[in-house]
Amino acid sequence: MNRNKLKGRIIIGLTGFSVILILAIIVIMISIIIYNGRSNFTWEFLTKFPTDGMTKGGIFPAIYGTALMVIVMSIAAVPFGTITAIYLTEYAKENSVISKTIRFAVRTLAVVPSIIFGLFGLGFFIKFVGGNIDNIFLGGTLKWAQPNILWASLTMALLTLPVVIVSVEEAMRAVPKEMREASLALGATKWQTIIKVVIPGSISGIMTGTILAVSRGAGEVAPILFTGAAYYLASLPTSLSDQFMNLGYHIYIMSTQSTNVDATMPIQYATTMVLLLLTFTLNFTAVIIRARIRRKKV
Amino acid sequence: MNYFENINNDDEELKPKDENTLDYSPQKGFTSESLKKKFRLSEFLAEKLITLIAFLSITIIILIFVFVFRESLPIFYKTKKAKTEKIISTNSKTENVNSNGQETYGVETKKETPTNSNGQEQYGAVTDNNKIKEEERKETPEDRASFRNLTGRIWQPVSDDPKYGLLPLFLGTFKITIIAMLFAAPVAILAALFTSNFASKRMKEIIKPAVELLAGFPSVVVGFFALMVLASFFQNVFGYETRLNAFVGGIAMALAAIPIIYTITEDALTAIPKTYTEASLALGASSWQTAFFVTLPAATPGIFAAILLGTGRVFGETMIVLMATGNAAMISLNPFDSVRTLSATIGAEMAEVVFGDTHYNVLFLIGSLLFIFTFTLNAIAEFYVKGKLVKRIQGKS
């Protein structure tokens, strides 16, 4: 009996320890990054260009590039994700082969390694689509068949599509069935019901999906390694066929290939801090909106 | 008795009512014709369009497979003639890579980087001269990724006699995966067990969002943390020589895998019917015995799925390994040696490779292998494990 109790203590202790370990890792990671980055985290840092061979100055072009990419990405991912969610909730029969296949595809899309999206972006968007555009419309001049912000954003859109689909679908399922039935009973067609009842009812879900997708897209680097991110650009991208600087890529390059790691260390920490704060704020907002949706459902 | 009678009465009352309402409608002027759905073109088009777009995700999966695999195909049938054609077409593209500013900057600076000794950086410092040399070299017949070359023991894509041995890359990937899973799986599963069985409601409200927070960490940030903090810390503790190695990478990778394993395991554990735990408790088992001998075994398929998906994540993760493992392709079983994984190889070399080159095709081949592997893991987790879990909960096996 006594031995049993001891065993129980050990096991509960072990499980508790695992939880504490995870929490401790999170706290340590955040505090080390913020501790080392805080002194450089100033308004100038956020709004200035890098100077002195990237050892001084700010990260404005990286922030700008990330924002631009994320916007183009959302324009591509959100409508398609929402429409897929509409299909899954409103049109597809539950447990039919088609909806099962689509769900499987969405889940597969969510687990495909991000570097594969990068390869796909290179092989499909840059070489195939871009190459054909150049050959057919521009008579072979090289414009679209090279890494740029459009291809990077579209690659990222594929990566974030499942995020949008899953959260929009959740919100659409939270719209009560009675509301749809009421709308149909009043003589509205199915399409009118979707436009006037289902979509307005799940607008917060669409927002959550967008925010989560933006947070994911801002943090991923692997897909844009060779589809459009650049190490250093003297000017901001002005068209979609330009390359761009990106926060995550900036961190990667600065920390692995910088001339003088010691000199750029504060900049690296501060950049990491900016990226971390950005994704956290976005995730936190999404969590709050999502919690409100769930409360509404009950 | 009364109770049953009531039910019967209710049924009797309901039945005629139902029939009445059914009979009613046609008499009120509704014919079966008028009740039929009207055909509306816009409705029809909208539905078709939505269906079409919904198929997009399936199309993307197929396209990914086709296009990633297509770029790797020339390895298998490339003849000398096809190669020379490619060289002509890539000449213009090579210049393009150089002109985007990124390369020239990298060349100047790469000399003093910390990872210089590992071979990756030498590659990074490809100068224009080297590239010209590469193109000349391509015409030699030895430059073909034969099967023997691909299964070789040396990965040395940039040299006079390029070697595309995938063995060290596979070994590195498996080494990292094993280290990461050895750390991540127990921690995540035990933590999930704690949350589902022992934690109070308030504790749950702290733990779950915290793990979600960890899932939201961009992998670059984890990689950066491993590179800057973990590497030095472990070097002080264990006193090994190479600062960036498989162990550091594995631990950092575990941080990325923990949230996935935790979430899926937790879902599987909470999906176990309450009757199971109640029966166990009623038989006199203590709460930890219930958790360990009833809940945990009942959820094994779910936990298995969690481990599979965690493995898939670790297998394909790029940024963390790129930053924290040293990226030296060597064959060794020592966890404190540098490694180079499949995904990191793509990430590090693709930006500098010549389009259409054998090296380029080999990198796409690696990509196809990665894709097939994660796809299979996901499919197993999806179909086999889920079916089993459902059956087990319903008591059919």
Side-chain angles (χ1 to χ4, degrees):
Chain A
M1 191 60 198
N2 223 345
R3 188 184 262 181
N4 247 342
K5 246 184 190 164
L6 190 70
K7 251 190 190 166
R9 286 254 169 87
I10 291 174
I11 282 176
I12 295 180
L14 218 59
T15 56
F17 174 74
S18 311
V19 171
I20 293 169
L21 188 67
I22 295 177
L23 296 182
I25 290 171
I26 298 170
V27 172
I28 290 173
M29 267 172 88
I30 297 175
S31 36
I32 286 183
I33 289 169
I34 291 185
Y35 178 79
N36 286 302
R38 87 201 127 85
S39 60
N40 228 323
F41 186 73
T42 57
W43 181 245
E44 272 96 69
F45 183 70
L46 297 177
T47 53
K48 285 255 162 68
F49 267 67
T51 51
D52 298 274
M54 318 272 279
T55 53
K56 283 188 187 117
I59 50 165
F60 179 67
I63 295 175
Y64 180 83
T66 309
L68 198 61
M69 182 201 72
V70 152
I71 291 168
V72 179
M73 176 205 84
S74 310
I75 292 171
V78 174
F80 284 108
T82 310
I83 289 173
T84 309
I86 290 176
Y87 179 77
L88 286 175
T89 51
E90 307 298 319
Y91 287 102
K93 289 188 188 75
E94 200 62 27
N95 292 325
S96 69
V97 180
I98 296 174
S99 81
K100 269 186 179 165
T101 318
I102 292 177
R103 271 169 220 279
F104 175 66
V106 170
R107 269 191 290 261
T108 307
L109 214 52
V111 298
V112 169
S114 48
I115 191 85
I116 303 296
F117 284 100
L119 284 184
F120 176 68
L122 183 63
F124 180 72
F125 288 127
I126 296 178
K127 280 198 74 188
F128 184 74
V129 181
N132 279 335
I133 291 175
D134 280 355
N135 281 337
I136 296 166
F137 298 106
L138 300 169
T141 45
L142 194 72
K143 180 164 191 214
W144 293 104
Q146 52 184 339
N148 65 31
I149 197 163
L150 176 68
W151 301 141
S153 310
L154 289 183
T155 310
M156 205 59 106
L158 299 183
L159 182 96
T160 50
L161 193 64
V163 180
V164 180
I165 295 175
V166 168
S167 46
V168 176
E169 202 196 330
E170 194 197 348
M172 288 194 166
R173 291 207 183 278
V175 174
K177 227 181 168 182
E178 290 80 5
M179 281 174 63
R180 291 191 185 92
E181 281 162 0
S183 161
L184 290 171
L186 287 169
T189 63
K190 190 159 192 173
W191 178 240
Q192 286 166 335
T193 309
I194 291 171
I195 290 287
K196 297 259 163 74
V197 177
V198 179
I199 290 183
S202 53
I203 200 84
S204 50
I206 298 173
M207 258 165 67
T208 328
T210 315
I211 293 171
L212 286 176
V214 165
S215 136
R216 177 93 198 272
E220 281 286 349
V221 178
I224 56 164
L225 277 178
F226 25 82
T227 52
Y231 183 16
Y232 177 74
L233 296 170
S235 59
L236 296 174
T238 48
S239 93
L240 284 178
S241 59
D242 284 345
Q243 288 204 321
F244 65 106
M245 286 174 76
N246 175 283
L247 276 175
Y249 190 66
H250 199 69
I251 296 172
Y252 161 62
I253 289 285
M254 293 277 273
S255 61
T256 56
Q257 335 220 315
S258 148
T259 351
N260 190 345
V261 177
D262 288 328
T264 56
M265 190 80 93
I267 295 184
Q268 294 176 29
Y269 270 110
T271 316
T272 313
M273 186 179 155
V274 171
L275 183 60
L276 202 59
L277 287 181
L278 181 74
T279 49
F280 275 6
T281 322
L282 290 169
N283 284 342
F284 190 66
T285 324
V287 166
I288 288 175
I289 300 177
R290 187 170 272 184
R292 269 177 52 196
I293 299 173
R294 287 198 179 137
R295 223 176 296 142
K296 210 168 68 183
K297 194 179 174 184
V298 178
Chain B
M1 267 327 258
N2 230 350
Y3 178 70
F4 286 106
E5 273 170 24
N6 270 340
I7 287 180
N8 283 336
N9 279 342
D10 279 354
D11 274 351
E12 274 165 8
E13 274 172 25
L14 274 175
K15 261 181 197 164
K17 248 190 200 168
D18 270 347
E19 279 163 16
N20 268 344
T21 45
L22 277 178
D23 288 336
Y24 223 59
S25 40
Q27 289 167 3
K28 278 256 170 173
F30 292 112
T31 62
S32 58
E33 265 308 294
S34 76
L35 278 175
K36 253 188 198 166
K37 252 190 193 166
K38 256 189 207 152
F39 177 79
R40 287 188 180 85
L41 189 69
S42 58
E43 289 284 308
F44 176 78
L45 286 179
E47 183 175 346
K48 290 292 162 232
L49 189 72
I50 288 174
T51 316
L52 201 71
I53 289 174
F55 277 96
L56 187 72
S57 24
I58 302 176
T59 323
I60 293 170
I61 294 286
I62 296 168
L63 279 182
I64 289 178
F65 186 76
V66 168
F67 272 87
V68 174
F69 197 65
R70 196 185 80 151
E71 297 292 321
S72 70
L73 272 184
I75 298 170
F76 302 109
Y77 62 77
K78 204 184 233 174
T79 58
K80 225 183 155 191
K81 200 180 160 197
K83 232 192 287 173
T84 38
E85 269 174 24
K86 279 245 165 75
I87 293 166
I88 296 160
S89 70
T90 48
N91 271 340
S92 57
K93 281 170 187 165
T94 334
E95 287 167 17
N96 144 45
V97 177
N98 280 332
S99 65
N100 61 31
Q102 164 195 3
E103 295 307 310
T104 37
Y105 204 98
V107 174
E108 289 167 11
T109 57
K110 272 165 192 167
K111 296 261 154 67
E112 289 166 38
T113 51
T115 40
N116 205 357
S117 55
N118 302 324
Q120 175 219 352
E121 299 314 319
Q122 290 170 353
Y123 179 71
V126 178
T127 58
D128 283 12
N129 278 343
N130 277 346
K131 266 188 182 148
I132 293 159
K133 227 164 102 191
E134 240 177 87
E135 269 156 33
E136 285 166 5
R137 168 182 55 74
K138 258 190 287 179
E139 278 155 65
T140 61
E142 288 92 352
D143 180 26
R144 200 173 297 159
S146 63
F147 185 69
R148 224 187 77 221
N149 203 346
L150 282 174
T151 49
R153 297 164 61 91
I154 301 169
W155 174 260
Q156 207 173 62
V158 181
S159 72
D160 289 340
D161 177 22
K163 292 190 175 67
Y164 303 107
L166 297 181
L167 202 64
L169 306 182
F170 269 106
L171 189 76
T173 311
F174 283 121
K175 214 157 89 177
I176 290 259
T177 312
I178 288 167
I179 293 170
M181 292 313 282
L182 279 182
F183 180 66
V187 170
I189 292 170
L190 287 176
L193 196 65
F194 182 84
T195 346
S196 72
N197 283 49
F198 305 127
S200 65
K201 212 178 166 193
R202 251 179 107 189
M203 279 161 110
K204 264 187 207 171
E205 274 169 11
I206 300 173
I207 300 168
K208 279 177 130 184
V211 177
E212 270 175 42
L213 199 71
L214 186 61
F217 266 74
S219 52
V220 205
V221 173
V222 178
F224 179 76
F225 180 76
L227 175 69
M228 292 293 163
V229 183
L230 280 185
S232 310
F233 175 72
F234 284 132
Q235 196 174 28
N236 287 339
V237 174
F238 296 106
Y240 45 70
E241 268 176 37
T242 31
R243 190 168 160 272
L244 299 175
N245 54 44
F247 183 72
V248 175
I251 297 293
M253 207 74 118
L255 297 182
I258 281 174
I260 294 179
I261 305 177
Y262 173 88
T263 320
I264 301 172
T265 309
E266 220 264 337
D267 282 350
L269 287 174
T270 36
I272 302 299
K274 258 218 161 123
T275 44
Y276 279 43
T277 46
E278 277 162 5
S280 162
L281 291 172
L283 286 170
S286 59
S287 70
W288 73 267
Q289 281 169 330
T290 311
F292 225 71
F293 297 115
V294 177
T295 324
L296 205 57
T300 25
I303 296 171
F304 186 57
I307 290 176
L308 281 185
L309 291 176
T311 311
R313 171 79 205 267
V314 170
F315 211 82
E317 176 56 58
T318 311
M319 294 321 290
I320 296 176
V321 273
L322 206 51
M323 293 167 89
T325 57
N327 284 323
M330 51 169 132
I331 294 192
S332 95
L333 288 175
N334 184 354
F336 296 121
D337 275 338
S338 284
V339 291
R340 187 184 194 93
T341 66
L342 294 165
S343 52
T345 307
I346 304 175
E349 296 176 8
M350 186 52 92
E352 280 128 0
V353 84
V354 183
F355 277 18
D357 190 11
T358 312
H359 185 193
Y360 171 87
N361 297 326
V362 172
L363 291 182
F364 268 96
L365 180 72
I366 295 174
S368 325
L369 293 175
L370 270 181
F371 181 65
I372 293 170
F373 187 78
T374 41
F375 184 86
T376 320
L377 280 186
N378 185 44
I380 295 173
E382 184 99 349
F383 295 115
Y384 173 72
V385 176
K386 240 186 208 165
K388 222 174 176 184
L389 189 67
V390 170
K391 263 188 200 160
R392 190 173 286 203
I393 288 174
Q394 290 168 349
K396 279 177 192 159
S397 84

